[in-house]
Amino acid sequence: MPELLQQETTEKAPDGMIAVENPATGKTIQFVENMSAARIDELVARARAVQPAWHALGFGGRRRLMLALRHWLVQNRSRIVDVVVAENGKTREDALLAELFYIADSLGFWAKNAGKYLADEKVRTHSPLVLGRKVKVTYRPLGVVGVIAPWNYPLTLGFGDALPALMAGNSVIIKPSEVTPLATMLMSEGAEAVGFPSGVFQVATGDGATGSALVDRADMIMFTGSTKTGRKIGARCGERLIPCSLELGGKDPMIVLDDADLERAANVAVEWGMRNSGQICMSVERIYVEAPVYDEFVEKVETKVRALRQGKPEGYGSVDVGAITFPPQIETIAAHVDDAVAKGARVLVGGRRAPGAGRFYEPTVLVDVDHTMDCMTEETFGPTLPIMKVADEDEGIRLANDVNYGLGSSVFSKDLARGERVARRINAGVGWVNDAIMSYLAQEAPFGGAGESGVGARHGSAGIRKYTQTHTIMVSKWVLRREPTMFPNTKLGAKLLDRVMVLMWGRKPR
């Protein structure tokens, strides 16, 4: 694992290398290898060679290593936070809470629950034709799993996906974003330090071509990123007939009903609209507020956003909102705001790039917005909160569903039954009533998207079984040497089957 450079630089990357920048300063903090397809061949060969022994280690052996890695992570937390903040530009608080805290919890969760989720299942059969036979379903690893991770949460959305795959008995190769590879490389160092077999967990640094090479060679792909790239990966996996799980874009709506606790709603909107500069796939991206409480809600949000502190993260408590991690993303954010203003929206707070070094876009509140504007229908992935007035809950639901995405959604109401009823009508993989995002920490429950927000889910039994192949085994014990259905075919045998069918299913439905 390369340490951060002692001094940030503006030097260009050497041939075959990629420069990793600090988004808060715009300067390079390290260089990493841009791996070729030949290098991916080497990594996959190592991963494939070690995987059978890793699987044979069993859940208990893998569990011990996971818990040892959790201890290593806690002991090295300050160092890891430093790396995450330096390459991502997020606040130290977000790195600690949303990255390290989650990973520490997830290491323990999968260590404890993997064996339960993947235990052999006895199947109670109903058909009289399989009497005397025992049927069970087993789960066996796919082999080499490729995880292609995004830049916004390199540990949570990258290494976090490797954990259930590893506990299922697969070897894993992570291709982190070329923008934020260092934290993942640091976790590889930790795995080696606590005794993970060499080759069972590897990091493939590089650009899109590196990721493509991994898609062409792995036995399963877990991808988190844009819908555009997800379509390409899904198509390629389909050509190869290998499974894939895709968590893609989002445009999560919040509906604030006229009986909502507005203080709570405003706090959640600002927290999960501005956290990590809005660079969260399930962040609050658009808000619909019933007319009677619209003005009061907008006033609360405006006041809270104006109070946010933005800048280069230093120590804990220094800033609330950090930098924009991915260089092209700030262009998208600016384009969405400019488009809204050109079409009649008003900017109450922010609305421009922050001056000075680094990539910062001011926390922004937009009103007088509608669905002709990109900020209401396309993923912004930035620190913006467009707020739209609606006549009633039906209009709010209709507009919430007026996009192709369907990751998460929020509804605010003091009437919990009403809130849940509205939440059920929104096309999303996850719904929150009087909250947002926090169900992600309930790792027992699946987390996935609808529509163009993806295929498959994280967490729960579905989040680990996707890394396995089901294997159904039937054991025939109490059976005849020759059954009535066996050759040779006879008229008497056919007549018997015909009568059995009539007796079982021939009654007219009532």
Side-chain angles (χ1 to χ4, degrees), residues 133-167:
R133 297 165 170 88
K134 293 182 179 180
V135 179
K136 66 173 65 176
V137 177
T138 69
Y139 298 90
R140 54 189 183 188
L142 293 168
V144 179
V145 171
V147 175
I148 300 179
W151 43 262
N152 58 327
Y153 282 92
L155 293 185
T156 296
L157 300 181
F159 187 68
D161 286 324
L163 299 181
L166 288 165
M167 278 303 299

PDB file of all heavy atoms in Angstrom, residues 133-167:
ATOM      1  N   ARG A 133     -38.096 -39.579  -0.850  1.00  0.00           N
ATOM      2  CA  ARG A 133     -36.859 -38.884  -1.228  1.00  0.00           C
ATOM      3  C   ARG A 133     -36.657 -37.656  -0.342  1.00  0.00           C
ATOM      4  O   ARG A 133     -37.617 -36.979   0.015  1.00  0.00           O
ATOM      5  CB  ARG A 133     -36.924 -38.464  -2.697  1.00  0.00           C
ATOM      6  CG  ARG A 133     -37.012 -39.627  -3.676  1.00  0.00           C
ATOM      7  CD  ARG A 133     -37.447 -39.139  -5.037  1.00  0.00           C
ATOM      8  NE  ARG A 133     -37.318 -40.151  -6.070  1.00  0.00           N
ATOM      9  CZ  ARG A 133     -38.267 -41.039  -6.361  1.00  0.00           C
ATOM     10  NH1 ARG A 133     -39.414 -41.038  -5.679  1.00  0.00           N
ATOM     11  NH2 ARG A 133     -38.080 -41.927  -7.315  1.00  0.00           N
ATOM     12  N   LYS A 134     -35.418 -37.373  -0.038  1.00  0.00           N
ATOM     13  CA  LYS A 134     -35.080 -36.166   0.714  1.00  0.00           C
ATOM     14  C   LYS A 134     -34.455 -35.148  -0.246  1.00  0.00           C
ATOM     15  O   LYS A 134     -33.594 -35.495  -1.043  1.00  0.00           O
ATOM     16  CB  LYS A 134     -34.100 -36.485   1.841  1.00  0.00           C
ATOM     17  CG  LYS A 134     -34.688 -37.365   2.935  1.00  0.00           C
ATOM     18  CD  LYS A 134     -33.682 -37.598   4.048  1.00  0.00           C
ATOM     19  CE  LYS A 134     -34.276 -38.452   5.149  1.00  0.00           C
ATOM     20  NZ  LYS A 134     -33.293 -38.694   6.253  1.00  0.00           N
ATOM     21  N   VAL A 135     -34.895 -33.895  -0.110  1.00  0.00           N
ATOM     22  CA  VAL A 135     -34.401 -32.832  -0.978  1.00  0.00           C
ATOM     23  C   VAL A 135     -33.789 -31.733  -0.119  1.00  0.00           C
ATOM     24  O   VAL A 135     -34.384 -31.309   0.880  1.00  0.00           O
ATOM     25  CB  VAL A 135     -35.527 -32.253  -1.861  1.00  0.00           C
ATOM     26  CG1 VAL A 135     -34.995 -31.130  -2.742  1.00  0.00           C
ATOM     27  CG2 VAL A 135     -36.155 -33.341  -2.719  1.00  0.00           C
ATOM     28  N   LYS A 136     -32.631 -31.283  -0.492  1.00  0.00           N
ATOM     29  CA  LYS A 136     -32.010 -30.154   0.210  1.00  0.00           C
ATOM     30  C   LYS A 136     -31.384 -29.210  -0.814  1.00  0.00           C
ATOM     31  O   LYS A 136     -31.017 -29.608  -1.922  1.00  0.00           O
ATOM     32  CB  LYS A 136     -30.962 -30.610   1.217  1.00  0.00           C
ATOM     33  CG  LYS A 136     -29.744 -31.262   0.614  1.00  0.00           C
ATOM     34  CD  LYS A 136     -28.662 -31.536   1.667  1.00  0.00           C
ATOM     35  CE  LYS A 136     -29.121 -32.551   2.688  1.00  0.00           C
ATOM     36  NZ  LYS A 136     -28.029 -32.887   3.647  1.00  0.00           N
ATOM     37  N   VAL A 137     -31.262 -27.947  -0.428  1.00  0.00           N
ATOM     38  CA  VAL A 137     -30.620 -26.923  -1.248  1.00  0.00           C
ATOM     39  C   VAL A 137     -29.351 -26.477  -0.547  1.00  0.00           C
ATOM     40  O   VAL A 137     -29.369 -26.123   0.645  1.00  0.00           O
ATOM     41  CB  VAL A 137     -31.547 -25.712  -1.477  1.00  0.00           C
ATOM     42  CG1 VAL A 137     -30.832 -24.627  -2.284  1.00  0.00           C
ATOM     43  CG2 VAL A 137     -32.825 -26.142  -2.194  1.00  0.00           C
ATOM     44  N   THR A 138     -28.250 -26.502  -1.263  1.00  0.00           N
ATOM     45  CA  THR A 138     -26.979 -26.014  -0.721  1.00  0.00           C
ATOM     46  C   THR A 138     -26.527 -24.812  -1.536  1.00  0.00           C
ATOM     47  O   THR A 138     -26.997 -24.575  -2.649  1.00  0.00           O
ATOM     48  CB  THR A 138     -25.898 -27.113  -0.773  1.00  0.00           C
ATOM     49  OG1 THR A 138     -25.549 -27.372  -2.142  1.00  0.00           O
ATOM     50  CG2 THR A 138     -26.406 -28.407  -0.153  1.00  0.00           C
ATOM     51  N   TYR A 139     -25.613 -24.052  -0.945  1.00  0.00           N
ATOM     52  CA  TYR A 139     -25.085 -22.846  -1.594  1.00  0.00           C
ATOM     53  C   TYR A 139     -23.569 -22.970  -1.675  1.00  0.00           C
ATOM     54  O   TYR A 139     -22.896 -23.146  -0.654  1.00  0.00           O
ATOM     55  CB  TYR A 139     -25.460 -21.603  -0.792  1.00  0.00           C
ATOM     56  CG  TYR A 139     -26.947 -21.389  -0.683  1.00  0.00           C
ATOM     57  CD1 TYR A 139     -27.675 -21.949   0.372  1.00  0.00           C
ATOM     58  CD2 TYR A 139     -27.640 -20.645  -1.630  1.00  0.00           C
ATOM     59  CE1 TYR A 139     -29.043 -21.768   0.462  1.00  0.00           C
ATOM     60  CE2 TYR A 139     -29.011 -20.451  -1.542  1.00  0.00           C
ATOM     61  CZ  TYR A 139     -29.707 -21.022  -0.491  1.00  0.00           C
ATOM     62  OH  TYR A 139     -31.069 -20.846  -0.394  1.00  0.00           O
ATOM     63  N   ARG A 140     -23.056 -22.889  -2.895  1.00  0.00           N
ATOM     64  CA  ARG A 140     -21.619 -22.979  -3.037  1.00  0.00           C
ATOM     65  C   ARG A 140     -21.082 -21.757  -3.768  1.00  0.00           C
ATOM     66  O   ARG A 140     -21.774 -21.168  -4.603  1.00  0.00           O
ATOM     67  CB  ARG A 140     -21.225 -24.260  -3.751  1.00  0.00           C
ATOM     68  CG  ARG A 140     -21.886 -24.517  -5.082  1.00  0.00           C
ATOM     69  CD  ARG A 140     -21.578 -25.929  -5.574  1.00  0.00           C
ATOM     70  NE  ARG A 140     -22.134 -26.213  -6.881  1.00  0.00           N
ATOM     71  CZ  ARG A 140     -22.129 -27.417  -7.436  1.00  0.00           C
ATOM     72  NH1 ARG A 140     -21.576 -28.434  -6.780  1.00  0.00           N
ATOM     73  NH2 ARG A 140     -22.639 -27.610  -8.623  1.00  0.00           N
ATOM     74  N   PRO A 141     -19.860 -21.345  -3.459  1.00  0.00           N
ATOM     75  CA  PRO A 141     -19.321 -20.103  -4.025  1.00  0.00           C
ATOM     76  C   PRO A 141     -19.175 -20.183  -5.535  1.00  0.00           C
ATOM     77  O   PRO A 141     -18.999 -21.258  -6.112  1.00  0.00           O
ATOM     78  CB  PRO A 141     -17.961 -19.958  -3.334  1.00  0.00           C
ATOM     79  CG  PRO A 141     -17.598 -21.344  -2.887  1.00  0.00           C
ATOM     80  CD  PRO A 141     -18.901 -22.012  -2.555  1.00  0.00           C
ATOM     81  N   LEU A 142     -19.221 -19.001  -6.153  1.00  0.00           N
ATOM     82  CA  LEU A 142     -19.105 -18.912  -7.609  1.00  0.00           C
ATOM     83  C   LEU A 142     -17.662 -19.010  -8.080  1.00  0.00           C
ATOM     84  O   LEU A 142     -17.393 -19.417  -9.205  1.00  0.00           O
ATOM     85  CB  LEU A 142     -19.717 -17.602  -8.101  1.00  0.00           C
ATOM     86  CG  LEU A 142     -21.231 -17.490  -7.934  1.00  0.00           C
ATOM     87  CD1 LEU A 142     -21.693 -16.057  -8.184  1.00  0.00           C
ATOM     88  CD2 LEU A 142     -21.950 -18.442  -8.877  1.00  0.00           C
ATOM     89  N   GLY A 143     -16.723 -18.613  -7.237  1.00  0.00           N
ATOM     90  CA  GLY A 143     -15.308 -18.674  -7.615  1.00  0.00           C
ATOM     91  C   GLY A 143     -14.606 -17.361  -7.391  1.00  0.00           C
ATOM     92  O   GLY A 143     -14.261 -17.003  -6.265  1.00  0.00           O
ATOM     93  N   VAL A 144     -14.417 -16.588  -8.463  1.00  0.00           N
ATOM     94  CA  VAL A 144     -13.753 -15.280  -8.384  1.00  0.00           C
ATOM     95  C   VAL A 144     -14.801 -14.194  -8.613  1.00  0.00           C
ATOM     96  O   VAL A 144     -15.401 -14.116  -9.690  1.00  0.00           O
ATOM     97  CB  VAL A 144     -12.629 -15.164  -9.433  1.00  0.00           C
ATOM     98  CG1 VAL A 144     -11.979 -13.780  -9.355  1.00  0.00           C
ATOM     99  CG2 VAL A 144     -11.586 -16.247  -9.218  1.00  0.00           C
ATOM    100  N   VAL A 145     -15.012 -13.378  -7.616  1.00  0.00           N
ATOM    101  CA  VAL A 145     -15.975 -12.283  -7.706  1.00  0.00           C
ATOM    102  C   VAL A 145     -15.224 -10.984  -7.969  1.00  0.00           C
ATOM    103  O   VAL A 145     -14.249 -10.659  -7.278  1.00  0.00           O
ATOM    104  CB  VAL A 145     -16.801 -12.161  -6.413  1.00  0.00           C
ATOM    105  CG1 VAL A 145     -17.635 -10.882  -6.417  1.00  0.00           C
ATOM    106  CG2 VAL A 145     -17.701 -13.380  -6.246  1.00  0.00           C
ATOM    107  N   GLY A 146     -15.678 -10.246  -8.973  1.00  0.00           N
ATOM    108  CA  GLY A 146     -15.124  -8.927  -9.250  1.00  0.00           C
ATOM    109  C   GLY A 146     -16.046  -7.857  -8.707  1.00  0.00           C
ATOM    110  O   GLY A 146     -17.244  -7.845  -9.012  1.00  0.00           O
ATOM    111  N   VAL A 147     -15.515  -6.982  -7.884  1.00  0.00           N
ATOM    112  CA  VAL A 147     -16.270  -5.855  -7.324  1.00  0.00           C
ATOM    113  C   VAL A 147     -15.741  -4.572  -7.951  1.00  0.00           C
ATOM    114  O   VAL A 147     -14.552  -4.264  -7.807  1.00  0.00           O
ATOM    115  CB  VAL A 147     -16.152  -5.785  -5.793  1.00  0.00           C
ATOM    116  CG1 VAL A 147     -16.853  -4.538  -5.261  1.00  0.00           C
ATOM    117  CG2 VAL A 147     -16.733  -7.041  -5.146  1.00  0.00           C
ATOM    118  N   ILE A 148     -16.596  -3.870  -8.663  1.00  0.00           N
ATOM    119  CA  ILE A 148     -16.207  -2.596  -9.267  1.00  0.00           C
ATOM    120  C   ILE A 148     -16.884  -1.499  -8.461  1.00  0.00           C
ATOM    121  O   ILE A 148     -18.116  -1.384  -8.438  1.00  0.00           O
ATOM    122  CB  ILE A 148     -16.614  -2.534 -10.745  1.00  0.00           C
ATOM    123  CG1 ILE A 148     -15.928  -3.681 -11.508  1.00  0.00           C
ATOM    124  CG2 ILE A 148     -16.214  -1.194 -11.353  1.00  0.00           C
ATOM    125  CD1 ILE A 148     -16.260  -3.742 -12.980  1.00  0.00           C
ATOM    126  N   ALA A 149     -16.062  -0.706  -7.775  1.00  0.00           N
ATOM    127  CA  ALA A 149     -16.556   0.200  -6.738  1.00  0.00           C
ATOM    128  C   ALA A 149     -16.580   1.648  -7.215  1.00  0.00           C
ATOM    129  O   ALA A 149     -15.807   2.041  -8.089  1.00  0.00           O
ATOM    130  CB  ALA A 149     -15.692   0.078  -5.489  1.00  0.00           C
ATOM    131  N   PRO A 150     -17.438   2.479  -6.616  1.00  0.00           N
ATOM    132  CA  PRO A 150     -17.524   3.890  -6.976  1.00  0.00           C
ATOM    133  C   PRO A 150     -16.559   4.734  -6.156  1.00  0.00           C
ATOM    134  O   PRO A 150     -15.926   4.247  -5.218  1.00  0.00           O
ATOM    135  CB  PRO A 150     -18.977   4.236  -6.632  1.00  0.00           C
ATOM    136  CG  PRO A 150     -19.242   3.401  -5.415  1.00  0.00           C
ATOM    137  CD  PRO A 150     -18.485   2.113  -5.625  1.00  0.00           C
ATOM    138  N   TRP A 151     -16.519   6.023  -6.505  1.00  0.00           N
ATOM    139  CA  TRP A 151     -15.579   6.912  -5.833  1.00  0.00           C
ATOM    140  C   TRP A 151     -16.168   7.615  -4.615  1.00  0.00           C
ATOM    141  O   TRP A 151     -15.424   8.163  -3.806  1.00  0.00           O
ATOM    142  CB  TRP A 151     -15.051   7.975  -6.797  1.00  0.00           C
ATOM    143  CG  TRP A 151     -16.081   8.608  -7.692  1.00  0.00           C
ATOM    144  CD1 TRP A 151     -16.363   8.274  -8.988  1.00  0.00           C
ATOM    145  CD2 TRP A 151     -16.973   9.681  -7.372  1.00  0.00           C
ATOM    146  NE1 TRP A 151     -17.365   9.068  -9.488  1.00  0.00           N
ATOM    147  CE2 TRP A 151     -17.762   9.944  -8.524  1.00  0.00           C
ATOM    148  CE3 TRP A 151     -17.185  10.463  -6.235  1.00  0.00           C
ATOM    149  CZ2 TRP A 151     -18.735  10.940  -8.551  1.00  0.00           C
ATOM    150  CZ3 TRP A 151     -18.155  11.454  -6.258  1.00  0.00           C
ATOM    151  CH2 TRP A 151     -18.922  11.681  -7.405  1.00  0.00           C
ATOM    152  N   ASN A 152     -17.481   7.608  -4.440  1.00  0.00           N
ATOM    153  CA  ASN A 152     -18.065   8.413  -3.363  1.00  0.00           C
ATOM    154  C   ASN A 152     -17.918   7.773  -1.992  1.00  0.00           C
ATOM    155  O   ASN A 152     -17.726   8.460  -0.989  1.00  0.00           O
ATOM    156  CB  ASN A 152     -19.534   8.723  -3.655  1.00  0.00           C
ATOM    157  CG  ASN A 152     -20.377   7.490  -3.845  1.00  0.00           C
ATOM    158  OD1 ASN A 152     -19.906   6.474  -4.347  1.00  0.00           O
ATOM    159  ND2 ASN A 152     -21.637   7.567  -3.458  1.00  0.00           N
ATOM    160  N   TYR A 153     -18.020   6.433  -1.913  1.00  0.00           N
ATOM    161  CA  TYR A 153     -17.809   5.710  -0.658  1.00  0.00           C
ATOM    162  C   TYR A 153     -16.955   4.485  -0.965  1.00  0.00           C
ATOM    163  O   TYR A 153     -17.463   3.376  -1.069  1.00  0.00           O
ATOM    164  CB  TYR A 153     -19.148   5.319  -0.015  1.00  0.00           C
ATOM    165  CG  TYR A 153     -19.802   6.476   0.692  1.00  0.00           C
ATOM    166  CD1 TYR A 153     -20.708   7.287   0.033  1.00  0.00           C
ATOM    167  CD2 TYR A 153     -19.468   6.794   2.006  1.00  0.00           C
ATOM    168  CE1 TYR A 153     -21.286   8.376   0.659  1.00  0.00           C
ATOM    169  CE2 TYR A 153     -20.040   7.881   2.651  1.00  0.00           C
ATOM    170  CZ  TYR A 153     -20.947   8.662   1.968  1.00  0.00           C
ATOM    171  OH  TYR A 153     -21.511   9.746   2.597  1.00  0.00           O
ATOM    172  N   PRO A 154     -15.653   4.679  -1.114  1.00  0.00           N
ATOM    173  CA  PRO A 154     -14.784   3.584  -1.582  1.00  0.00           C
ATOM    174  C   PRO A 154     -14.758   2.383  -0.656  1.00  0.00           C
ATOM    175  O   PRO A 154     -14.577   1.249  -1.129  1.00  0.00           O
ATOM    176  CB  PRO A 154     -13.406   4.247  -1.681  1.00  0.00           C
ATOM    177  CG  PRO A 154     -13.494   5.478  -0.830  1.00  0.00           C
ATOM    178  CD  PRO A 154     -14.906   5.927  -0.893  1.00  0.00           C
ATOM    179  N   LEU A 155     -14.932   2.581   0.655  1.00  0.00           N
ATOM    180  CA  LEU A 155     -14.946   1.443   1.564  1.00  0.00           C
ATOM    181  C   LEU A 155     -16.341   0.847   1.680  1.00  0.00           C
ATOM    182  O   LEU A 155     -16.547  -0.341   1.450  1.00  0.00           O
ATOM    183  CB  LEU A 155     -14.425   1.858   2.948  1.00  0.00           C
ATOM    184  CG  LEU A 155     -12.949   2.244   3.014  1.00  0.00           C
ATOM    185  CD1 LEU A 155     -12.523   2.511   4.449  1.00  0.00           C
ATOM    186  CD2 LEU A 155     -12.070   1.164   2.401  1.00  0.00           C
ATOM    187  N   THR A 156     -17.319   1.643   2.016  1.00  0.00           N
ATOM    188  CA  THR A 156     -18.670   1.133   2.228  1.00  0.00           C
ATOM    189  C   THR A 156     -19.219   0.463   0.980  1.00  0.00           C
ATOM    190  O   THR A 156     -19.819  -0.617   1.053  1.00  0.00           O
ATOM    191  CB  THR A 156     -19.602   2.280   2.663  1.00  0.00           C
ATOM    192  OG1 THR A 156     -19.151   2.778   3.934  1.00  0.00           O
ATOM    193  CG2 THR A 156     -21.040   1.821   2.794  1.00  0.00           C
ATOM    194  N   LEU A 157     -19.036   1.082  -0.181  1.00  0.00           N
ATOM    195  CA  LEU A 157     -19.619   0.571  -1.417  1.00  0.00           C
ATOM    196  C   LEU A 157     -18.632  -0.231  -2.251  1.00  0.00           C
ATOM    197  O   LEU A 157     -18.931  -0.578  -3.388  1.00  0.00           O
ATOM    198  CB  LEU A 157     -20.171   1.736  -2.246  1.00  0.00           C
ATOM    199  CG  LEU A 157     -21.255   2.568  -1.565  1.00  0.00           C
ATOM    200  CD1 LEU A 157     -21.729   3.680  -2.491  1.00  0.00           C
ATOM    201  CD2 LEU A 157     -22.426   1.703  -1.118  1.00  0.00           C
ATOM    202  N   GLY A 158     -17.488  -0.534  -1.707  1.00  0.00           N
ATOM    203  CA  GLY A 158     -16.506  -1.355  -2.397  1.00  0.00           C
ATOM    204  C   GLY A 158     -16.091  -2.512  -1.513  1.00  0.00           C
ATOM    205  O   GLY A 158     -16.497  -3.654  -1.711  1.00  0.00           O
ATOM    206  N   PHE A 159     -15.317  -2.216  -0.499  1.00  0.00           N
ATOM    207  CA  PHE A 159     -14.891  -3.255   0.427  1.00  0.00           C
ATOM    208  C   PHE A 159     -16.094  -3.880   1.130  1.00  0.00           C
ATOM    209  O   PHE A 159     -16.108  -5.080   1.417  1.00  0.00           O
ATOM    210  CB  PHE A 159     -13.903  -2.684   1.445  1.00  0.00           C
ATOM    211  CG  PHE A 159     -13.298  -3.730   2.328  1.00  0.00           C
ATOM    212  CD1 PHE A 159     -12.423  -4.670   1.812  1.00  0.00           C
ATOM    213  CD2 PHE A 159     -13.609  -3.779   3.671  1.00  0.00           C
ATOM    214  CE1 PHE A 159     -11.874  -5.642   2.623  1.00  0.00           C
ATOM    215  CE2 PHE A 159     -13.063  -4.755   4.493  1.00  0.00           C
ATOM    216  CZ  PHE A 159     -12.190  -5.691   3.970  1.00  0.00           C
ATOM    217  N   GLY A 160     -17.131  -3.065   1.389  1.00  0.00           N
ATOM    218  CA  GLY A 160     -18.335  -3.599   2.012  1.00  0.00           C
ATOM    219  C   GLY A 160     -18.987  -4.684   1.188  1.00  0.00           C
ATOM    220  O   GLY A 160     -19.573  -5.635   1.728  1.00  0.00           O
ATOM    221  N   ASP A 161     -18.899  -4.588  -0.142  1.00  0.00           N
ATOM    222  CA  ASP A 161     -19.454  -5.629  -1.009  1.00  0.00           C
ATOM    223  C   ASP A 161     -18.568  -6.865  -1.056  1.00  0.00           C
ATOM    224  O   ASP A 161     -19.046  -7.968  -1.362  1.00  0.00           O
ATOM    225  CB  ASP A 161     -19.637  -5.082  -2.426  1.00  0.00           C
ATOM    226  CG  ASP A 161     -20.814  -4.139  -2.535  1.00  0.00           C
ATOM    227  OD1 ASP A 161     -21.830  -4.381  -1.857  1.00  0.00           O
ATOM    228  OD2 ASP A 161     -20.726  -3.154  -3.288  1.00  0.00           O
ATOM    229  N   ALA A 162     -17.292  -6.697  -0.778  1.00  0.00           N
ATOM    230  CA  ALA A 162     -16.386  -7.848  -0.777  1.00  0.00           C
ATOM    231  C   ALA A 162     -16.635  -8.767   0.415  1.00  0.00           C
ATOM    232  O   ALA A 162     -16.397  -9.984   0.321  1.00  0.00           O
ATOM    233  CB  ALA A 162     -14.935  -7.364  -0.765  1.00  0.00           C
ATOM    234  N   LEU A 163     -17.133  -8.226   1.514  1.00  0.00           N
ATOM    235  CA  LEU A 163     -17.245  -9.017   2.746  1.00  0.00           C
ATOM    236  C   LEU A 163     -18.177 -10.214   2.604  1.00  0.00           C
ATOM    237  O   LEU A 163     -17.778 -11.343   2.927  1.00  0.00           O
ATOM    238  CB  LEU A 163     -17.672  -8.119   3.908  1.00  0.00           C
ATOM    239  CG  LEU A 163     -16.705  -6.972   4.234  1.00  0.00           C
ATOM    240  CD1 LEU A 163     -17.217  -6.174   5.418  1.00  0.00           C
ATOM    241  CD2 LEU A 163     -15.321  -7.512   4.516  1.00  0.00           C
ATOM    242  N   PRO A 164     -19.431 -10.047   2.162  1.00  0.00           N
ATOM    243  CA  PRO A 164     -20.266 -11.242   2.009  1.00  0.00           C
ATOM    244  C   PRO A 164     -19.741 -12.199   0.941  1.00  0.00           C
ATOM    245  O   PRO A 164     -19.889 -13.420   1.073  1.00  0.00           O
ATOM    246  CB  PRO A 164     -21.638 -10.673   1.630  1.00  0.00           C
ATOM    247  CG  PRO A 164     -21.374  -9.302   1.106  1.00  0.00           C
ATOM    248  CD  PRO A 164     -20.180  -8.817   1.860  1.00  0.00           C
ATOM    249  N   ALA A 165     -19.127 -11.651  -0.108  1.00  0.00           N
ATOM    250  CA  ALA A 165     -18.554 -12.521  -1.141  1.00  0.00           C
ATOM    251  C   ALA A 165     -17.436 -13.375  -0.557  1.00  0.00           C
ATOM    252  O   ALA A 165     -17.333 -14.579  -0.857  1.00  0.00           O
ATOM    253  CB  ALA A 165     -18.038 -11.681  -2.305  1.00  0.00           C
ATOM    254  N   LEU A 166     -16.599 -12.786   0.268  1.00  0.00           N
ATOM    255  CA  LEU A 166     -15.523 -13.532   0.915  1.00  0.00           C
ATOM    256  C   LEU A 166     -16.078 -14.554   1.894  1.00  0.00           C
ATOM    257  O   LEU A 166     -15.646 -15.712   1.918  1.00  0.00           O
ATOM    258  CB  LEU A 166     -14.573 -12.572   1.632  1.00  0.00           C
ATOM    259  CG  LEU A 166     -13.662 -11.720   0.744  1.00  0.00           C
ATOM    260  CD1 LEU A 166     -13.048 -10.579   1.537  1.00  0.00           C
ATOM    261  CD2 LEU A 166     -12.570 -12.586   0.109  1.00  0.00           C
ATOM    262  N   MET A 167     -17.044 -14.148   2.703  1.00  0.00           N
ATOM    263  CA  MET A 167     -17.599 -15.078   3.682  1.00  0.00           C
ATOM    264  C   MET A 167     -18.330 -16.239   3.010  1.00  0.00           C
ATOM    265  O   MET A 167     -18.456 -17.320   3.581  1.00  0.00           O
ATOM    266  CB  MET A 167     -18.538 -14.348   4.636  1.00  0.00           C
ATOM    267  CG  MET A 167     -17.845 -13.632   5.777  1.00  0.00           C
ATOM    268  SD  MET A 167     -16.812 -14.695   6.817  1.00  0.00           S
ATOM    269  CE  MET A 167     -18.008 -15.872   7.464  1.00  0.00           C
TER     270      MET A 167
END
